[in-house]
Amino acid sequence: VVVTMRRERMWNFLDRLINLTTPRIKDFRGVPDKAFDRQGNYSFGLTEQGVFPEINMADVTFKPGMHINFVFRNSKPELSRYVLQELGMPFTKNEK
């Protein structure tokens, strides 16, 4: 199943993803910052959807995962990363 979200639903999903879902992931250290393509689109995956508060895990018979793609128009990886970072996307910290 592929779902495209735009406008208000997109912003609601992004807000829930950043502020509610990612803190619920076990041993979460951030999303990888190397998953940008040449056009600036960003992709990552979740191994299970149970981290979303709307899902009642008692009613789930299997634990499906999901791929999340952020598509940017006329962008570069550096610009897209900056936009997502300013929106609050928790990227992994580079250890130096």
Side-chain angles (χ1 to χ4, degrees):
V1 174
V2 176
V3 177
T4 300
M5 292 184 225
R6 292 186 175 95
R7 298 177 192 80
E8 190 67 28
R9 285 187 179 180
M10 174 193 64
W11 293 113
N12 289 336
F13 177 78
L14 183 61
D15 181 48
R16 282 197 325 262
L17 177 71
I18 292 171
N19 297 314
L20 294 175
T21 305
T22 53
R24 295 178 64 164
I25 298 173
K26 185 178 179 181
D27 298 328
F28 182 70
R29 298 190 197 304
V31 294
D33 60 349
K34 305 291 184 201
F36 289 95
D37 64 11
R38 289 185 302 200
Q39 289 78 28
N41 302 319
Y42 181 71
S43 300
F44 72 99
L46 296 175
T47 55
E48 67 177 59
Q49 297 175 7
V51 293
F52 284 93
E54 296 90 354
I55 298 177
N56 183 3
M57 290 305 291
D59 296 337
V60 176
T61 57
F62 67 98
K63 299 177 182 178
M66 68 183 342
H67 294 281
I68 300 171
N69 300 313
F70 294 99
V71 179
F72 293 88
R73 188 179 303 163
N74 300 327
S75 187
K76 301 176 194 171
E78 301 82 22
L79 180 60
S80 299
R81 186 182 196 290
Y82 176 77
V83 168
L84 288 174
Q85 192 171 11
E86 290 299 311
L87 288 172
M89 183 66 76
F91 288 108
T92 56
K93 304 288 187 228
N94 293 333
E95 296 179 19
K96 295 181 180 180

